[in-house]
């Protein structure tokens, strides 16, 4: 009566999010929609009864996990269920960490081995782990989080776990999906709560995004009679990955009253790998080309936004929003440039976004990204 409604809401949210992600990936690459293999790992256990005469199994979720499996078989035939159960009285962190290392991780590693065999060095793209924050002993939750961190798991959070009992209903919107970057490391902040300087960068990025979408979605009137196609974004400039990235660089001289200067950049893929230029480095180059007196101390921040090369249909949006590849951290080559700037400018930071609306931003110092 309690567990199955929670599991039902979790599975609905999980499978729908997977479908949305695969559809978005297919649209970005022009490939067919992948149907991922789904594995549900149920981790159960039991507490040690204070009454030594009591049956430990009466305080166990092990049997409940098999009821959950039967429910899954009836409603989601494409999901394979795997059971892992611990012995009773496992409340200490070290005990739970050992259990996860001995019993849980080997299950995941077997699945990973199959993915590596199928996809080689691209396996991280094809293996996605999602943890449920529905319930569990604090020590076990902490052990799972610590052990699975290298896999960068996403999270499903049932935020009305107890209050729904009063209303006798639980719906999909009671389950929040959180990407690893959002929940594990750097929370997204509503842009209206940002410092004034950061809000100015966000507004400049929004303006840049609107300009890009206007070009993407239709040719300027004066070019319509001259060019057969409105632009060459897909056919030439981004023909390798078909993924567009915009960058905005904020610079300001240290003199009192100096104005903010914004410089824009966009990724280019004329020839790979030597002819590829990322948006962040493009923006830095544009800044120096405009002002040869530019110093590293003058560079305040860089904002990075992934945008789609085509307007997404409603069924490919996540909660009505185009996520694209956001939040998108700088690549290794860009980080080499940004680290050199941060050597003399520890306030330099990267601004990324949860989706293309730029309604929430993630502010990250460069030294955090290099840890």
């Amino acid at each position: 009566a309690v567990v199955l409604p929670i599991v039902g809401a979790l599975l609905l949210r999980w499978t729908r999010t997977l479908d949305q992600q695969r559809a978005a990936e297919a649209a970005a690459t022009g490939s067919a929609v992948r149907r991922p293999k789904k594995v549900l790992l149920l981790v159960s256990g039991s507490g040690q009864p204070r009454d030594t005469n009591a049956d430990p199994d009466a305080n166990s979720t092990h049997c409940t996990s098999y009821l959950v499996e039967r429910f899954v078989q009836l409603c989601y035939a494409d999901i394979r269920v795997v059971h892992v159960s611990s012995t009773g009285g496992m409340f200490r962190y070290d005990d739970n960490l050992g259990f996860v290392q001995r019993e849980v991780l080997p299950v995941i590693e077997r699945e990973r081995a199959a993915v590596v065999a199928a996809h080689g060095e691209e396996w991280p793209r094809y293996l996605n782990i999602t943890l449920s924050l529905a319930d569990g002993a604090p020590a076990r939750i902490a052990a799972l989080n610590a052990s699975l961190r290298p896999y960068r798991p996403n999270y499903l959070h049932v935020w009305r776990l107890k209050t729904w009992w009063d209303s006798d209903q639980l719906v999909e919107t009671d389950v929040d999906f959180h990407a690893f970057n959002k929940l594990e490391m750097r929370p997204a902040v509503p842009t209206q709560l940002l410092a004034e300087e950061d809000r100015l960068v966000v507004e400049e990025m929004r303006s840049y995004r609107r300009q890009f979408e206007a070009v993407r979605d239709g040719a300027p009137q004066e070019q319509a009679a001259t060019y057969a196609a409105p632009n060459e974004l897909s056919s030439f400039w981004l023909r390798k990955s078909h993924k567009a990235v915009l960058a905005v660089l904020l610079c300001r001289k240290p003199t009192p009253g100096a104005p903010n200067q914004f410089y824009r950049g966009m990724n280019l893929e004329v020839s790979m790998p030597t002819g590829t230029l990322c948006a962040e480095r493009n923006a830095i180059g544009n800044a120096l080309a405009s002002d040869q007196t530019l110093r590293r101390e003058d560079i305040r921040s860089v904002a990075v936004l992934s945008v789609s090369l085509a307007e997404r249909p409603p069924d490919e949006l996540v909660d009505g929003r185009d996520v694209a590849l956001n939040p998108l951290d700088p690549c290794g080559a860009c980080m080499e440039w940004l680290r050199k700037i941060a050597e003399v400018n520890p306030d330099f930071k990267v601004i990324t976004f949860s989706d293309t609306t730029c309604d929430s931003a993630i502010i990250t110092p460069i030294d955090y990204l290099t840890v």
Side-chain angles (χ1 to χ4, degrees), residues 7-66:
V7 172
L10 283 169
L11 291 177
L12 181 62
R13 181 65 161 148
W14 179 47
T15 55
R16 196 185 303 275
T17 300
L18 285 176
D19 290 342
Q20 291 171 340
Q21 291 174 338
R22 297 292 82 77
E25 178 186 75
T29 60
S31 58
V33 177
R34 292 190 294 115
R35 298 300 176 190
K37 171 186 174 184
K38 306 182 187 75
V39 179
L40 179 63
L41 177 55
L42 297 175
V43 181
S44 59
S46 62
Q48 185 65 40
R50 293 183 180 276
D51 183 356
T52 57
N53 296 320
D55 182 3
D57 290 337
N59 195 30
S60 171
T61 56
H62 183 61
C63 294
T64 306
S65 69
Y66 283 92

Side-chain angles (χ1 to χ4, degrees), residues 86 89-102 139-140 143:
S86 66
M90 192 174 289
F91 297 109
R92 289 185 172 89
Y93 175 77
D94 289 346
D95 293 337
N96 277 279
L97 189 61
F99 163 70
V100 173
Q101 296 288 328
R102 292 190 309 272
R140 176 152 298 180

Side-chain angles (χ1 to χ4, degrees), residues 305-328:
L305 179 70
S306 168
V307 290
S308 300
L309 270 183
E311 186 175 1
R312 295 282 178 82
D315 62 346
E316 294 180 4
L317 304 179
V318 178
D319 294 332
R321 297 169 181 262
D322 184 1
V323 175
L325 299 177
N326 297 295
L328 185 63

Side-chain angles (χ1 to χ4, degrees), residues 3-300:
V3 174
L4 294 185
I6 296 174
V7 172
L10 283 169
L11 291 177
L12 181 62
R13 181 65 161 148
W14 179 47
T15 55
R16 196 185 303 275
T17 300
L18 285 176
D19 290 342
Q20 291 171 340
Q21 291 174 338
R22 297 292 82 77
E25 178 186 75
T29 60
S31 58
V33 177
R34 292 190 294 115
R35 298 300 176 190
K37 171 186 174 184
K38 306 182 187 75
V39 179
L40 179 63
L41 177 55
L42 297 175
V43 181
S44 59
S46 62
Q48 185 65 40
R50 293 183 180 276
D51 183 356
T52 57
N53 296 320
D55 182 3
D57 290 337
N59 195 30
S60 171
T61 56
H62 183 61
C63 294
T64 306
S65 69
Y66 283 92
L67 292 176
V68 171
E69 179 182 22
R70 182 57 180 155
F71 170 78
V72 172
Q73 290 172 340
L74 292 173
C75 299
Y76 296 92
D78 61 331
I79 297 179
R80 180 167 63 87
V81 177
V82 177
H83 298 270
V84 177
S85 183
S86 66
T87 57
M90 192 174 289
F91 297 109
R92 289 185 172 89
Y93 175 77
D94 289 346
D95 293 337
N96 277 279
L97 189 61
F99 163 70
V100 173
Q101 296 288 328
R102 292 190 309 272
E103 305 294 337
V104 178
L105 285 185
V107 175
I108 296 174
E109 289 164 356
R110 286 194 292 271
E111 298 296 333
R112 182 183 62 184
V115 176
V116 172
H119 301 287
E121 63 184 20
E122 293 190 354
W123 71 265
R125 290 182 50 205
Y126 296 91
L127 179 65
N128 296 283
I129 294 178
T130 301
L131 282 175
S132 165
L133 298 183
D135 199 5
R140 176 152 298 180
I141 293 295
L144 286 168
N145 279 326
S147 300
L148 295 179
R149 191 176 187 276
Y151 289 95
R152 302 173 64 85
N154 300 316
Y155 295 85
L156 288 173
H157 177 208
V158 185
W159 61 277
R160 279 167 43 104
L161 184 59
K162 294 182 179 179
T163 55
W164 72 271
W165 295 342
D166 298 328
S167 58
D168 292 330
Q169 63 178 354
L170 186 67
V171 296
E172 184 184 357
T173 53
D174 293 330
V175 182
D176 287 339
F177 175 83
H178 299 288
F180 174 82
N181 284 346
K182 176 181 178 181
L183 194 61
E184 165 69 17
M185 295 191 297
R186 295 163 287 155
V189 179
T191 53
Q192 66 268 23
L193 301 180
L194 297 176
E196 180 180 1
E197 180 180 288
D198 297 333
R199 290 201 304 270
L200 294 174
V201 178
V202 172
E203 286 306 314
E204 178 67 16
M205 178 59 82
R206 283 174 171 157
S207 176
Y208 191 10
R209 184 209 68 215
R210 289 192 293 267
Q211 175 192 323
F212 173 85
E213 291 175 342
V215 174
R216 177 197 69 185
D217 298 337
Q221 191 64 36
E222 61 270 15
Q223 295 185 9
T226 306
Y227 299 105
N231 58 69
E232 289 188 325
L233 291 174
S234 295
S235 60
F236 182 74
W237 299 114
L238 301 173
R239 69 185 188 276
K240 301 294 184 178
S241 71
H242 295 281
K243 298 173 183 177
V245 180
L246 310 180
V248 169
L249 192 75
L250 170 61
C251 301
R252 187 174 63 247
K253 300 290 186 179
T255 54
N260 293 318
Q261 298 288 338
F262 295 102
Y263 300 95
R264 296 177 174 181
M266 182 177 173
N267 61 319
L268 307 171
E269 299 166 352
V270 177
S271 176
M272 295 182 76
T274 58
T276 298
L277 180 61
C278 294
E280 301 94 310
R281 287 177 284 156
N282 194 348
I284 294 171
N286 286 337
L288 185 59
S290 300
D291 178 10
Q292 290 81 50
T293 68
L294 181 71
R295 301 174 63 88
R296 288 177 289 170
E297 295 91 333
D298 303 335
I299 303 177
R300 305 289 300 172

